[in-house]
Amino acid sequence: MADTPRQGPSPAAPDTAPATARRPVPVRWVLLGVLLALLLSMLDGLIVGTAMPTVVKDLGGLDRMSWVVTGYTLATACSTPVWGKLGDLFDRKRVFLLSVALFLATSVACGLAPSMNALIAFRVVQGLGAGGMGAGAFALIGALVPPRERGRYQGLTAAVMAVGQLGGPLVGGFVTGHLGWRWAFYVNVPVGLVCLAWCGLLLHLPARERQGAVRIDWAGIVLLSGAISAFVMAATWAGSTYAWASWQVIGLGVLAVALLVGFIATERRVADPLMPPRVYTGHRNFPLSAVLLTVTGMALFGATLYLPLYQQVVQGASASHSGLLLLPMMIATLVATTVAGKVMSATGRYKLFPVVGAASMIAGMGLLSAAGTDTPHSFTTVSMIFLGIGSGFAMQMSNTIAQNSVETRDLGAASAATNLFRTLGGSLGLAIFASLFTSSVQGGPAKGPVYAEHVAHATHLIFLVGACVGVAAFLAALAIEEVPLRGKEPAKPVAESGRGATETA
């Protein structure tokens, strides 16, 4: 959908226009409100991570600190497909606004938490809201902008995500240091209220007709939530709390597979499945995009977590500016996303970008795996630029390819699924990389030249594994079929009371 100038009523027939007709709002302005929710969810995770040492100092509960993050991640992952399906079944805008309101209410509750247990409980509910914000935002982008024109706005999405990645640690450090850890949660409120007001006033979607009664797939929700929970817990505990070969981790893995098999069997027989099988079997591009997103999410988790650590410990960078250490990668992501988007919108061609992106990601990971204790900053910077190009070409384009491969009625489920694959890829990557890092540094000193050597060896292993896994993304990108991108669909009258305008972007 293109940004169209506002059109007034025809001068030849000024009395024939409906009194309630609205002038179309440029889609770019509407998207800014939707993207505020994405920014909010990204900032929250990074701000809270920065504030956790102060939280433990105030509330205690060091042994339960990890659950502040794990509980939130579990709730987000489990609720993402549910929110996506609710958006398909009901009014997408209202479901999205409900998730934002839930996130804001629990942000206030987290800030008021009197104990670590209360904070964990509130964070779980906050994660439910975050799942709806992520799934809803990508589904709304898909509803507002058809894939053929998505490239014009990819730079905007990438810019918001880059601001979230870079701004989170900086804002977290400033807020915690000057206002206290509780403001790490309260800071969500003003941004969230702007998002609610903005989307409430400007976001208008075409009317959707639904045949038959609404049926909720409760069995699918329970089975998929159980499978995701078992997987995330196994990924979280493996290599840290328990060994990879421990019965706890193996048991959780077996349970996740069993529940997933039960979920697939259930989805094939229910009338209105949580994740319709046609989403995955309708076109090969969707599962291939899922592989791309999973692997890319895994690689980016490793880069954003262990690159700053390597630069601080081995290269002597300042910890106070750790958020800025990833700036070359973020700038490269933004530039690559913008270039790919403009080319895709102008030509309709897109397969080249995930192929080049996966290859660039492998190159970046391979270069970083060669970094040692005497590697200069310029080498690390070049490696991060390759990683950024890979992220910009592969991850952003994969969302568009996935949404273009499904029917409009399944847009919410597809958007939620892509978000889920990215999250699960990050969880798996975090588990594998944490295990590699722990095995490399354990038993040695916590500082000094020997520790720097251990950290350099750990990052070597982490990025070497990342490069090897990236081959799967490259093969998936090669197998993608370049089908025509959907264009703008004819506008339909909006069926809500008191609104006679048509949806125009």
Side-chain angles (χ1 to χ4, degrees), residues 60-93:
L62 178 62
D63 58 325
R64 286 158 287 156
M65 181 182 71
S66 62
W67 280 99
V68 176
V69 177
T70 302
Y72 178 89
T73 304
L74 270 175
T76 300
C78 292
S79 65
T80 292
V82 180
W83 284 107
K85 186 61 178 180
L86 290 176
D88 288 338
L89 292 176
F90 303 104
D91 186 281
R92 218 182 291 279
K93 171 183 173 180

PDB file of all heavy atoms in Angstrom, residues 60-93:
ATOM      1  N   GLY A  60      16.354  -9.539  46.916  1.00  0.00           N
ATOM      2  CA  GLY A  60      16.921 -10.846  47.226  1.00  0.00           C
ATOM      3  C   GLY A  60      16.497 -11.854  46.173  1.00  0.00           C
ATOM      4  O   GLY A  60      16.073 -11.517  45.076  1.00  0.00           O
ATOM      5  N   GLY A  61      16.612 -13.138  46.497  1.00  0.00           N
ATOM      6  CA  GLY A  61      16.180 -14.186  45.585  1.00  0.00           C
ATOM      7  C   GLY A  61      17.126 -14.426  44.435  1.00  0.00           C
ATOM      8  O   GLY A  61      16.689 -14.635  43.293  1.00  0.00           O
ATOM      9  N   LEU A  62      18.429 -14.409  44.723  1.00  0.00           N
ATOM     10  CA  LEU A  62      19.409 -14.638  43.668  1.00  0.00           C
ATOM     11  C   LEU A  62      19.190 -15.981  42.987  1.00  0.00           C
ATOM     12  O   LEU A  62      19.367 -16.109  41.769  1.00  0.00           O
ATOM     13  CB  LEU A  62      20.822 -14.564  44.255  1.00  0.00           C
ATOM     14  CG  LEU A  62      21.978 -14.825  43.280  1.00  0.00           C
ATOM     15  CD1 LEU A  62      21.985 -13.774  42.180  1.00  0.00           C
ATOM     16  CD2 LEU A  62      23.310 -14.840  44.024  1.00  0.00           C
ATOM     17  N   ASP A  63      18.779 -16.991  43.743  1.00  0.00           N
ATOM     18  CA  ASP A  63      18.574 -18.330  43.188  1.00  0.00           C
ATOM     19  C   ASP A  63      17.386 -18.396  42.232  1.00  0.00           C
ATOM     20  O   ASP A  63      17.258 -19.336  41.457  1.00  0.00           O
ATOM     21  CB  ASP A  63      18.386 -19.345  44.319  1.00  0.00           C
ATOM     22  CG  ASP A  63      17.213 -18.988  45.227  1.00  0.00           C
ATOM     23  OD1 ASP A  63      16.985 -17.774  45.456  1.00  0.00           O
ATOM     24  OD2 ASP A  63      16.528 -19.901  45.715  1.00  0.00           O
ATOM     25  N   ARG A  64      16.505 -17.388  42.299  1.00  0.00           N
ATOM     26  CA  ARG A  64      15.331 -17.363  41.412  1.00  0.00           C
ATOM     27  C   ARG A  64      15.430 -16.278  40.347  1.00  0.00           C
ATOM     28  O   ARG A  64      14.477 -16.048  39.601  1.00  0.00           O
ATOM     29  CB  ARG A  64      14.060 -17.135  42.239  1.00  0.00           C
ATOM     30  CG  ARG A  64      13.611 -18.349  43.047  1.00  0.00           C
ATOM     31  CD  ARG A  64      12.727 -17.948  44.200  1.00  0.00           C
ATOM     32  NE  ARG A  64      13.507 -17.300  45.262  1.00  0.00           N
ATOM     33  CZ  ARG A  64      12.993 -16.458  46.153  1.00  0.00           C
ATOM     34  NH1 ARG A  64      11.731 -16.145  46.106  1.00  0.00           N
ATOM     35  NH2 ARG A  64      13.759 -15.929  47.081  1.00  0.00           N
ATOM     36  N   MET A  65      16.546 -15.604  40.277  1.00  0.00           N
ATOM     37  CA  MET A  65      16.679 -14.475  39.354  1.00  0.00           C
ATOM     38  C   MET A  65      16.433 -14.874  37.903  1.00  0.00           C
ATOM     39  O   MET A  65      15.795 -14.142  37.144  1.00  0.00           O
ATOM     40  CB  MET A  65      18.078 -13.857  39.491  1.00  0.00           C
ATOM     41  CG  MET A  65      18.312 -12.660  38.589  1.00  0.00           C
ATOM     42  SD  MET A  65      19.989 -11.983  38.721  1.00  0.00           S
ATOM     43  CE  MET A  65      20.920 -13.291  37.893  1.00  0.00           C
ATOM     44  N   SER A  66      16.910 -16.045  37.499  1.00  0.00           N
ATOM     45  CA  SER A  66      16.766 -16.460  36.107  1.00  0.00           C
ATOM     46  C   SER A  66      15.305 -16.593  35.699  1.00  0.00           C
ATOM     47  O   SER A  66      14.961 -16.443  34.517  1.00  0.00           O
ATOM     48  CB  SER A  66      17.499 -17.786  35.869  1.00  0.00           C
ATOM     49  OG  SER A  66      16.942 -18.812  36.651  1.00  0.00           O
ATOM     50  N   TRP A  67      14.422 -16.855  36.682  1.00  0.00           N
ATOM     51  CA  TRP A  67      13.013 -17.041  36.354  1.00  0.00           C
ATOM     52  C   TRP A  67      12.334 -15.730  35.965  1.00  0.00           C
ATOM     53  O   TRP A  67      11.276 -15.745  35.340  1.00  0.00           O
ATOM     54  CB  TRP A  67      12.279 -17.683  37.521  1.00  0.00           C
ATOM     55  CG  TRP A  67      12.505 -19.161  37.574  1.00  0.00           C
ATOM     56  CD1 TRP A  67      13.382 -19.827  38.362  1.00  0.00           C
ATOM     57  CD2 TRP A  67      11.863 -20.141  36.762  1.00  0.00           C
ATOM     58  NE1 TRP A  67      13.333 -21.175  38.091  1.00  0.00           N
ATOM     59  CE2 TRP A  67      12.405 -21.391  37.123  1.00  0.00           C
ATOM     60  CE3 TRP A  67      10.896 -20.087  35.765  1.00  0.00           C
ATOM     61  CZ2 TRP A  67      11.992 -22.572  36.509  1.00  0.00           C
ATOM     62  CZ3 TRP A  67      10.486 -21.264  35.165  1.00  0.00           C
ATOM     63  CH2 TRP A  67      11.043 -22.490  35.547  1.00  0.00           C
ATOM     64  N   VAL A  68      12.933 -14.609  36.327  1.00  0.00           N
ATOM     65  CA  VAL A  68      12.389 -13.324  35.883  1.00  0.00           C
ATOM     66  C   VAL A  68      12.446 -13.248  34.360  1.00  0.00           C
ATOM     67  O   VAL A  68      11.549 -12.698  33.712  1.00  0.00           O
ATOM     68  CB  VAL A  68      13.165 -12.155  36.522  1.00  0.00           C
ATOM     69  CG1 VAL A  68      12.673 -10.819  35.981  1.00  0.00           C
ATOM     70  CG2 VAL A  68      13.022 -12.185  38.035  1.00  0.00           C
ATOM     71  N   VAL A  69      13.493 -13.801  33.783  1.00  0.00           N
ATOM     72  CA  VAL A  69      13.643 -13.829  32.327  1.00  0.00           C
ATOM     73  C   VAL A  69      12.981 -15.072  31.733  1.00  0.00           C
ATOM     74  O   VAL A  69      12.253 -14.988  30.736  1.00  0.00           O
ATOM     75  CB  VAL A  69      15.132 -13.779  31.934  1.00  0.00           C
ATOM     76  CG1 VAL A  69      15.294 -13.891  30.424  1.00  0.00           C
ATOM     77  CG2 VAL A  69      15.774 -12.502  32.454  1.00  0.00           C
ATOM     78  N   THR A  70      13.205 -16.228  32.366  1.00  0.00           N
ATOM     79  CA  THR A  70      12.671 -17.478  31.820  1.00  0.00           C
ATOM     80  C   THR A  70      11.145 -17.486  31.811  1.00  0.00           C
ATOM     81  O   THR A  70      10.516 -17.900  30.828  1.00  0.00           O
ATOM     82  CB  THR A  70      13.185 -18.677  32.632  1.00  0.00           C
ATOM     83  OG1 THR A  70      14.605 -18.687  32.607  1.00  0.00           O
ATOM     84  CG2 THR A  70      12.663 -19.983  32.058  1.00  0.00           C
ATOM     85  N   GLY A  71      10.528 -17.024  32.907  1.00  0.00           N
ATOM     86  CA  GLY A  71       9.064 -16.972  32.975  1.00  0.00           C
ATOM     87  C   GLY A  71       8.479 -16.074  31.903  1.00  0.00           C
ATOM     88  O   GLY A  71       7.467 -16.401  31.259  1.00  0.00           O
ATOM     89  N   TYR A  72       9.106 -14.946  31.699  1.00  0.00           N
ATOM     90  CA  TYR A  72       8.667 -14.000  30.669  1.00  0.00           C
ATOM     91  C   TYR A  72       8.803 -14.629  29.279  1.00  0.00           C
ATOM     92  O   TYR A  72       7.882 -14.553  28.455  1.00  0.00           O
ATOM     93  CB  TYR A  72       9.512 -12.730  30.787  1.00  0.00           C
ATOM     94  CG  TYR A  72       9.221 -11.659  29.764  1.00  0.00           C
ATOM     95  CD1 TYR A  72       8.259 -10.688  30.010  1.00  0.00           C
ATOM     96  CD2 TYR A  72       9.936 -11.604  28.573  1.00  0.00           C
ATOM     97  CE1 TYR A  72       8.002  -9.684  29.085  1.00  0.00           C
ATOM     98  CE2 TYR A  72       9.693 -10.606  27.637  1.00  0.00           C
ATOM     99  CZ  TYR A  72       8.726  -9.644  27.899  1.00  0.00           C
ATOM    100  OH  TYR A  72       8.481  -8.658  26.976  1.00  0.00           O
ATOM    101  N   THR A  73       9.960 -15.253  29.012  1.00  0.00           N
ATOM    102  CA  THR A  73      10.190 -15.868  27.704  1.00  0.00           C
ATOM    103  C   THR A  73       9.209 -17.004  27.433  1.00  0.00           C
ATOM    104  O   THR A  73       8.673 -17.131  26.322  1.00  0.00           O
ATOM    105  CB  THR A  73      11.630 -16.402  27.628  1.00  0.00           C
ATOM    106  OG1 THR A  73      12.548 -15.337  27.900  1.00  0.00           O
ATOM    107  CG2 THR A  73      11.925 -16.982  26.262  1.00  0.00           C
ATOM    108  N   LEU A  74       8.975 -17.835  28.447  1.00  0.00           N
ATOM    109  CA  LEU A  74       8.027 -18.935  28.285  1.00  0.00           C
ATOM    110  C   LEU A  74       6.636 -18.433  27.955  1.00  0.00           C
ATOM    111  O   LEU A  74       5.976 -18.921  27.033  1.00  0.00           O
ATOM    112  CB  LEU A  74       7.979 -19.768  29.572  1.00  0.00           C
ATOM    113  CG  LEU A  74       8.946 -20.941  29.696  1.00  0.00           C
ATOM    114  CD1 LEU A  74       8.837 -21.563  31.080  1.00  0.00           C
ATOM    115  CD2 LEU A  74       8.659 -21.975  28.628  1.00  0.00           C
ATOM    116  N   ALA A  75       6.166 -17.441  28.707  1.00  0.00           N
ATOM    117  CA  ALA A  75       4.826 -16.912  28.488  1.00  0.00           C
ATOM    118  C   ALA A  75       4.712 -16.271  27.105  1.00  0.00           C
ATOM    119  O   ALA A  75       3.695 -16.424  26.422  1.00  0.00           O
ATOM    120  CB  ALA A  75       4.476 -15.903  29.578  1.00  0.00           C
ATOM    121  N   THR A  76       5.756 -15.563  26.705  1.00  0.00           N
ATOM    122  CA  THR A  76       5.742 -14.931  25.383  1.00  0.00           C
ATOM    123  C   THR A  76       5.664 -15.981  24.278  1.00  0.00           C
ATOM    124  O   THR A  76       4.847 -15.878  23.352  1.00  0.00           O
ATOM    125  CB  THR A  76       7.003 -14.065  25.187  1.00  0.00           C
ATOM    126  OG1 THR A  76       7.039 -13.055  26.196  1.00  0.00           O
ATOM    127  CG2 THR A  76       7.004 -13.405  23.828  1.00  0.00           C
ATOM    128  N   ALA A  77       6.515 -17.004  24.372  1.00  0.00           N
ATOM    129  CA  ALA A  77       6.548 -18.034  23.330  1.00  0.00           C
ATOM    130  C   ALA A  77       5.237 -18.815  23.273  1.00  0.00           C
ATOM    131  O   ALA A  77       4.714 -19.089  22.184  1.00  0.00           O
ATOM    132  CB  ALA A  77       7.721 -18.981  23.584  1.00  0.00           C
ATOM    133  N   CYS A  78       4.700 -19.183  24.443  1.00  0.00           N
ATOM    134  CA  CYS A  78       3.472 -19.989  24.468  1.00  0.00           C
ATOM    135  C   CYS A  78       2.258 -19.203  23.984  1.00  0.00           C
ATOM    136  O   CYS A  78       1.355 -19.765  23.357  1.00  0.00           O
ATOM    137  CB  CYS A  78       3.215 -20.515  25.880  1.00  0.00           C
ATOM    138  SG  CYS A  78       4.406 -21.745  26.452  1.00  0.00           S
ATOM    139  N   SER A  79       2.210 -17.917  24.291  1.00  0.00           N
ATOM    140  CA  SER A  79       1.025 -17.139  23.951  1.00  0.00           C
ATOM    141  C   SER A  79       1.048 -16.585  22.534  1.00  0.00           C
ATOM    142  O   SER A  79       0.005 -16.212  22.000  1.00  0.00           O
ATOM    143  CB  SER A  79       0.861 -15.975  24.940  1.00  0.00           C
ATOM    144  OG  SER A  79       1.933 -15.056  24.831  1.00  0.00           O
ATOM    145  N   THR A  80       2.214 -16.536  21.915  1.00  0.00           N
ATOM    146  CA  THR A  80       2.318 -15.935  20.580  1.00  0.00           C
ATOM    147  C   THR A  80       1.376 -16.583  19.563  1.00  0.00           C
ATOM    148  O   THR A  80       0.612 -15.879  18.885  1.00  0.00           O
ATOM    149  CB  THR A  80       3.773 -15.991  20.087  1.00  0.00           C
ATOM    150  OG1 THR A  80       4.576 -15.124  20.885  1.00  0.00           O
ATOM    151  CG2 THR A  80       3.878 -15.564  18.636  1.00  0.00           C
ATOM    152  N   PRO A  81       1.358 -17.917  19.403  1.00  0.00           N
ATOM    153  CA  PRO A  81       0.427 -18.502  18.428  1.00  0.00           C
ATOM    154  C   PRO A  81      -1.033 -18.316  18.812  1.00  0.00           C
ATOM    155  O   PRO A  81      -1.900 -18.219  17.937  1.00  0.00           O
ATOM    156  CB  PRO A  81       0.820 -19.983  18.402  1.00  0.00           C
ATOM    157  CG  PRO A  81       1.562 -20.227  19.668  1.00  0.00           C
ATOM    158  CD  PRO A  81       2.232 -18.947  20.008  1.00  0.00           C
ATOM    159  N   VAL A  82      -1.325 -18.268  20.116  1.00  0.00           N
ATOM    160  CA  VAL A  82      -2.709 -18.077  20.559  1.00  0.00           C
ATOM    161  C   VAL A  82      -3.197 -16.685  20.167  1.00  0.00           C
ATOM    162  O   VAL A  82      -4.299 -16.512  19.630  1.00  0.00           O
ATOM    163  CB  VAL A  82      -2.825 -18.292  22.080  1.00  0.00           C
ATOM    164  CG1 VAL A  82      -4.266 -18.079  22.528  1.00  0.00           C
ATOM    165  CG2 VAL A  82      -2.361 -19.694  22.458  1.00  0.00           C
ATOM    166  N   TRP A  83      -2.379 -15.664  20.437  1.00  0.00           N
ATOM    167  CA  TRP A  83      -2.750 -14.299  20.065  1.00  0.00           C
ATOM    168  C   TRP A  83      -2.917 -14.190  18.542  1.00  0.00           C
ATOM    169  O   TRP A  83      -3.837 -13.503  18.058  1.00  0.00           O
ATOM    170  CB  TRP A  83      -1.679 -13.312  20.518  1.00  0.00           C
ATOM    171  CG  TRP A  83      -1.661 -12.999  21.978  1.00  0.00           C
ATOM    172  CD1 TRP A  83      -0.745 -13.420  22.897  1.00  0.00           C
ATOM    173  CD2 TRP A  83      -2.578 -12.160  22.692  1.00  0.00           C
ATOM    174  NE1 TRP A  83      -1.038 -12.909  24.144  1.00  0.00           N
ATOM    175  CE2 TRP A  83      -2.154 -12.133  24.049  1.00  0.00           C
ATOM    176  CE3 TRP A  83      -3.707 -11.440  22.328  1.00  0.00           C
ATOM    177  CZ2 TRP A  83      -2.828 -11.398  25.027  1.00  0.00           C
ATOM    178  CZ3 TRP A  83      -4.385 -10.715  23.303  1.00  0.00           C
ATOM    179  CH2 TRP A  83      -3.954 -10.694  24.637  1.00  0.00           C
ATOM    180  N   GLY A  84      -2.024 -14.829  17.794  1.00  0.00           N
ATOM    181  CA  GLY A  84      -2.126 -14.767  16.340  1.00  0.00           C
ATOM    182  C   GLY A  84      -3.439 -15.338  15.839  1.00  0.00           C
ATOM    183  O   GLY A  84      -4.091 -14.764  14.959  1.00  0.00           O
ATOM    184  N   LYS A  85      -3.856 -16.472  16.407  1.00  0.00           N
ATOM    185  CA  LYS A  85      -5.117 -17.083  15.996  1.00  0.00           C
ATOM    186  C   LYS A  85      -6.311 -16.238  16.423  1.00  0.00           C
ATOM    187  O   LYS A  85      -7.292 -16.104  15.680  1.00  0.00           O
ATOM    188  CB  LYS A  85      -5.221 -18.489  16.598  1.00  0.00           C
ATOM    189  CG  LYS A  85      -6.442 -19.270  16.107  1.00  0.00           C
ATOM    190  CD  LYS A  85      -6.401 -19.472  14.611  1.00  0.00           C
ATOM    191  CE  LYS A  85      -7.586 -20.287  14.110  1.00  0.00           C
ATOM    192  NZ  LYS A  85      -7.543 -20.495  12.652  1.00  0.00           N
ATOM    193  N   LEU A  86      -6.238 -15.633  17.612  1.00  0.00           N
ATOM    194  CA  LEU A  86      -7.335 -14.766  18.058  1.00  0.00           C
ATOM    195  C   LEU A  86      -7.505 -13.583  17.112  1.00  0.00           C
ATOM    196  O   LEU A  86      -8.629 -13.148  16.849  1.00  0.00           O
ATOM    197  CB  LEU A  86      -7.060 -14.268  19.486  1.00  0.00           C
ATOM    198  CG  LEU A  86      -7.162 -15.309  20.605  1.00  0.00           C
ATOM    199  CD1 LEU A  86      -6.777 -14.695  21.950  1.00  0.00           C
ATOM    200  CD2 LEU A  86      -8.565 -15.900  20.671  1.00  0.00           C
ATOM    201  N   GLY A  87      -6.386 -13.073  16.606  1.00  0.00           N
ATOM    202  CA  GLY A  87      -6.478 -11.989  15.642  1.00  0.00           C
ATOM    203  C   GLY A  87      -7.158 -12.423  14.351  1.00  0.00           C
ATOM    204  O   GLY A  87      -7.876 -11.645  13.716  1.00  0.00           O
ATOM    205  N   ASP A  88      -6.945 -13.694  13.943  1.00  0.00           N
ATOM    206  CA  ASP A  88      -7.607 -14.217  12.748  1.00  0.00           C
ATOM    207  C   ASP A  88      -9.104 -14.440  12.991  1.00  0.00           C
ATOM    208  O   ASP A  88      -9.923 -14.271  12.091  1.00  0.00           O
ATOM    209  CB  ASP A  88      -6.966 -15.543  12.326  1.00  0.00           C
ATOM    210  CG  ASP A  88      -5.578 -15.352  11.719  1.00  0.00           C
ATOM    211  OD1 ASP A  88      -5.286 -14.236  11.250  1.00  0.00           O
ATOM    212  OD2 ASP A  88      -4.792 -16.314  11.734  1.00  0.00           O
ATOM    213  N   LEU A  89      -9.444 -14.830  14.226  1.00  0.00           N
ATOM    214  CA  LEU A  89     -10.836 -15.147  14.531  1.00  0.00           C
ATOM    215  C   LEU A  89     -11.671 -13.901  14.805  1.00  0.00           C
ATOM    216  O   LEU A  89     -12.841 -13.832  14.431  1.00  0.00           O
ATOM    217  CB  LEU A  89     -10.904 -16.081  15.750  1.00  0.00           C
ATOM    218  CG  LEU A  89     -10.360 -17.496  15.575  1.00  0.00           C
ATOM    219  CD1 LEU A  89     -10.402 -18.244  16.897  1.00  0.00           C
ATOM    220  CD2 LEU A  89     -11.162 -18.250  14.515  1.00  0.00           C
ATOM    221  N   PHE A  90     -11.076 -12.925  15.486  1.00  0.00           N
ATOM    222  CA  PHE A  90     -11.824 -11.760  15.918  1.00  0.00           C
ATOM    223  C   PHE A  90     -11.244 -10.498  15.274  1.00  0.00           C
ATOM    224  O   PHE A  90     -10.537 -10.568  14.285  1.00  0.00           O
ATOM    225  CB  PHE A  90     -11.795 -11.662  17.448  1.00  0.00           C
ATOM    226  CG  PHE A  90     -12.330 -12.878  18.137  1.00  0.00           C
ATOM    227  CD1 PHE A  90     -11.477 -13.797  18.734  1.00  0.00           C
ATOM    228  CD2 PHE A  90     -13.698 -13.134  18.163  1.00  0.00           C
ATOM    229  CE1 PHE A  90     -11.966 -14.924  19.364  1.00  0.00           C
ATOM    230  CE2 PHE A  90     -14.207 -14.264  18.789  1.00  0.00           C
ATOM    231  CZ  PHE A  90     -13.339 -15.172  19.391  1.00  0.00           C
ATOM    232  N   ASP A  91     -11.548  -9.360  15.846  1.00  0.00           N
ATOM    233  CA  ASP A  91     -11.050  -8.089  15.330  1.00  0.00           C
ATOM    234  C   ASP A  91      -9.562  -7.949  15.637  1.00  0.00           C
ATOM    235  O   ASP A  91      -9.159  -7.896  16.793  1.00  0.00           O
ATOM    236  CB  ASP A  91     -11.840  -6.940  15.974  1.00  0.00           C
ATOM    237  CG  ASP A  91     -11.476  -5.593  15.378  1.00  0.00           C
ATOM    238  OD1 ASP A  91     -10.419  -5.057  15.760  1.00  0.00           O
ATOM    239  OD2 ASP A  91     -12.240  -5.077  14.555  1.00  0.00           O
ATOM    240  N   ARG A  92      -8.742  -7.872  14.583  1.00  0.00           N
ATOM    241  CA  ARG A  92      -7.295  -7.867  14.766  1.00  0.00           C
ATOM    242  C   ARG A  92      -6.819  -6.656  15.564  1.00  0.00           C
ATOM    243  O   ARG A  92      -5.917  -6.755  16.389  1.00  0.00           O
ATOM    244  CB  ARG A  92      -6.605  -7.892  13.390  1.00  0.00           C
ATOM    245  CG  ARG A  92      -5.361  -8.735  13.354  1.00  0.00           C
ATOM    246  CD  ARG A  92      -4.707  -8.696  12.000  1.00  0.00           C
ATOM    247  NE  ARG A  92      -5.448  -9.353  10.953  1.00  0.00           N
ATOM    248  CZ  ARG A  92      -5.449 -10.654  10.749  1.00  0.00           C
ATOM    249  NH1 ARG A  92      -4.763 -11.450  11.553  1.00  0.00           N
ATOM    250  NH2 ARG A  92      -6.139 -11.186   9.761  1.00  0.00           N
ATOM    251  N   LYS A  93      -7.426  -5.512  15.314  1.00  0.00           N
ATOM    252  CA  LYS A  93      -7.031  -4.291  16.007  1.00  0.00           C
ATOM    253  C   LYS A  93      -7.329  -4.383  17.497  1.00  0.00           C
ATOM    254  O   LYS A  93      -6.479  -4.057  18.340  1.00  0.00           O
ATOM    255  CB  LYS A  93      -7.761  -3.092  15.396  1.00  0.00           C
ATOM    256  CG  LYS A  93      -7.592  -1.792  16.158  1.00  0.00           C
ATOM    257  CD  LYS A  93      -8.400  -0.671  15.527  1.00  0.00           C
ATOM    258  CE  LYS A  93      -8.372   0.592  16.380  1.00  0.00           C
ATOM    259  NZ  LYS A  93      -9.152   1.690  15.773  1.00  0.00           N
TER     260      LYS A  93
END
